[in-house]
Structure formats: C-alpha cells, structure tokens
Amino acid sequence: MEDGKMGNVATVRAVLAILQWWGFNVTVIIINKWIFQKLEFKFPLTVSCVHFICSSIGAYIAIKVLKVKPLIEVAPEDRWKRIFPMSFVFCINIVLGNISLRYIPVSFMQTIKSFTPATTVILQWLVWRKYFEWRIWASLIPIVGGILLTSVTELSFNMFGFCAAMVGCLATSTKTILAESLLHGYKFDSINTVYYMAPFATMILSIPAIVLEGSGVINWLYTYESTVPALVIIITSGVLAFCLNFSVFYVIHSTTAVTFNVAGNLKVAVAVLISWMIFRNPISAMNAVGCGITLVGCTFYGYVRHLISQQATSPSPRTPRSRLEMLPLVCEKQEKI
C-alpha cells in the first residue's frame, strides 16, 4: 500500500516536471521568435547576450544565495583549459539557434535541431573513428529522411536560417563530444554548468554584439514606439532562459531516461503546434509528415541507445569488448543548456 502511494507520488512528480519543462522551453522559443518578428528586434547576438547575462546572475543566486545546489569547485587552470573551450562552443550553439529562429519558422528550426543525434554519431565516426553497430545507423535513417523531406517541402525556406540551424546541430554535437573529454572528472549538473559557462559566453559574445549590432540596437531604441514594454519582454526571455536550465535539472532527476527521451520529442511537437497557432506560418501536408517522421526517428534512436546501454551493463560473453565501448557519446539524459 505504501509502495503504491510512493509510486503515485513519483508519477505525479514526473508529470509535473515534464509539464514545467515543456512550458519553459516552448515559452522561450515563442518569445524569442516574437522578439525577432513582432518587436522587430532583429539582433540575435544581443538577445543571446541578454540570455547569458541573465543566466549568469540566475546561476549565481541559485548556488551562492539560495544554495539550491552545492558549487562544484573547478581549479583555476581548468576553467581556462576545460571550461572556456566548452563555453565557446556553447556560445556558438546558442547564437546559431537564435539566428536560425530569426530567419526560419519555429516548426522548421525545431525539426532541424532533431538532426543532432545523427550529427553526433557521424562526427564521432568521422573524426574520432568510433565504431557503432548497425542498429544505431539504422535508427538514423528515419531522422535523416524526415529532415530531407521537411527541408524540401518547407514553404518558408531560407538558406541562411537553414545553414545556421544545421551548423548549430554540429555545435551541439561538438559540445556533447568535447564534454566527455574536457569535463572528465567533473560531475556537472545543468545549474553548475551554467554557473561556469554563462560568464565566459557573455565575455566571448559581448564585443561582437556591440561591434556588429550596437548601432542597430541604438537606432531601434530611438525609432521603436513602445520601447519599455519591448525591453521588458527581451529581459523576460533571458530570465526564462535560465529558468529553462533549472527545469531541465528538475526533470532529469524526476524521470527515467526513456521517459525523458519520449518527452523531449513530444516537446518538439508541442512547440511546433503552438508556434503555428501563434504565427500561422504555412505548413504543407508533406512538411508535417516529414516533421513527424523525424520525431518518430528520434524516439526510435533513443530507444535503441537505451537497449544497447542496458546490454552494455550486462554484456554477453560472446560480445566483443570493443563493440560495447562504442555507444554514442550522447548522455542518456542530456542536460540541455
């Protein structure tokens, strides 16, 4: 009886964790698109910089003031040798995501981001010479096919936005792969990750943002009619971006790996639907089919990875050791920043 109650509590906690994660994630995406499209604030570097500043402040308050999580101490030399390179890739990833969001619809951008598992496996195979068994490669076929179908049938296709989103996938994969080597020995959670990386990312991006977008931002401040409400929305997007990281920490510790994978793909579907309801960007039937195939492929890929990881924990005597070691370097539960 008591076990049943504990199980019900765990289920309710998992559902609430997923819902709040979906809420923050979809809200951040929609607000960013609203900033670029409705507020005519077409400065993705500046928006990204605001996000990094808010995340730096939020992580400091969460760890130092509220003490939500204990600070993971990092040696000063490791901050530059390990954290800084990760922060650079992290910065590129966020900036490219916002750039793509400016030029292409949310539905298309979210579908392209689902290509990340494929780019991670391909990068590890090409650059790091990792071996993957046939089930991993087979699970990537619907992802690649869905992306191709979605791209060909996208009615609001923009080459610059498409390229930014694709390079962003490569940046995400590179960050995941580098984390395995650069952060070896440090068990970072999402909040500590932001605590160390966001200040570096702010430092990296601030000068390019000022040089490339400074004059445009100043001109926007003088010409846009409702400046104060618009600035409140921009800063709110930064605060919500940090809250999203906090929600990722909560959902990771409240769900299983399989649940997290399925919920992540359903989150993309929710984001696509809500963005279409708000912005009414045209979506053809074949485009919707391509998006659906991609999401099903991502779910199947996550399931295959889970099966292989389970087998790796209890290997068969016939299974070659080298094959067990070659699981894609994508965390069973990715702590997305």
Side-chain angles (χ1 to χ4, degrees), residues 180-242:
E180 294 290 328
S181 55
L182 292 179
L183 301 184
H184 180 70
Y186 292 104
K187 294 186 178 295
F188 280 115
D189 53 76
S190 58
I191 301 175
N192 270 278
T193 303
V194 173
Y195 178 86
Y196 283 108
M197 289 189 186
F200 274 132
T202 304
M203 181 181 68
I204 293 168
L205 190 59
S206 56
I207 294 177
I210 292 171
V211 172
L212 298 176
E213 298 180 348
S215 59
V217 172
I218 292 173
N219 183 61
W220 178 87
L221 289 171
Y222 280 108
T223 57
Y224 193 76
E225 294 180 0
S226 306
T227 306
V228 174
L231 288 176
V232 170
I233 293 175
I234 293 171
I235 294 173
T236 300
S237 74
V239 174
L240 290 175
F242 168 73

Side-chain angles (χ1 to χ4, degrees), residues 170-185:
L170 289 173
T172 302
S173 299
T174 303
K175 178 173 68 69
T176 301
I177 296 169
L178 287 178
E180 294 290 328
S181 55
L182 292 179
L183 301 184
H184 180 70

Side-chain angles (χ1 to χ4, degrees), residues 12-31:
V12 171
R13 182 184 176 188
V15 171
L16 292 177
I18 290 171
L19 289 177
Q20 56 90 31
W21 178 42
W22 282 5
F24 282 121
N25 192 283
V26 174
T27 303
V28 168
I29 294 170
I30 297 301
I31 287 183

Side-chain angles (χ1 to χ4, degrees), residues 2 27 51 59 76 141 237 307:
E2 193 169 322
T27 303
H51 286 191
I141 294 175
S237 74
L307 286 180

Side-chain angles (χ1 to χ4, degrees), residues 53-196:
I53 292 171
C54 291
S55 294
S56 300
I57 296 172
Y60 180 87
I61 293 174
I63 291 177
K64 292 289 190 178
V65 180
L66 301 178
K67 300 188 184 301
V68 175
K69 284 289 291 182
L71 176 64
I72 297 174
E73 297 292 342
V74 178
E77 62 272 16
D78 281 348
R79 296 188 185 189
W80 289 100
K81 290 181 181 179
R82 299 189 182 193
I83 305 296
F84 183 79
M86 286 291 298
S87 302
F88 184 76
V89 179
F90 163 58
C91 180
I92 292 175
N93 178 32
I94 298 299
V95 169
L96 288 174
N98 282 330
I99 290 175
S100 65
L101 199 56
R102 175 188 167 184
Y103 291 100
I104 59 178
V106 171
S107 56
F108 191 31
M109 187 268 280
Q110 286 287 292
T111 305
I112 294 174
K113 283 184 67 176
S114 300
F115 193 58
T116 301
T119 57
T120 304
V121 171
I122 293 170
L123 270 180
Q124 290 177 85
W125 177 63
L126 287 176
V127 180
W128 281 267
R129 299 299 180 184
K130 298 283 188 178
Y131 165 86
F132 301 109
E133 66 169 83
W134 68 270
R135 286 183 295 177
I136 289 292
W137 291 107
S139 68
L140 296 179
I141 294 175
I143 299 178
V144 176
I147 292 292
L148 288 174
L149 180 59
T150 305
S151 302
V152 170
T153 59
E154 175 57 47
L155 300 177
S156 303
F157 185 87
N158 179 281
M159 181 56 72
F160 186 71
F162 172 77
C163 290
M166 288 299 295
V167 178
C169 287
L170 289 173
T172 302
S173 299
T174 303
K175 178 173 68 69
T176 301
I177 296 169
L178 287 178
E180 294 290 328
S181 55
L182 292 179
L183 301 184
H184 180 70
Y186 292 104
K187 294 186 178 295
F188 280 115
D189 53 76
S190 58
I191 301 175
N192 270 278
T193 303
V194 173
Y195 178 86
Y196 283 108

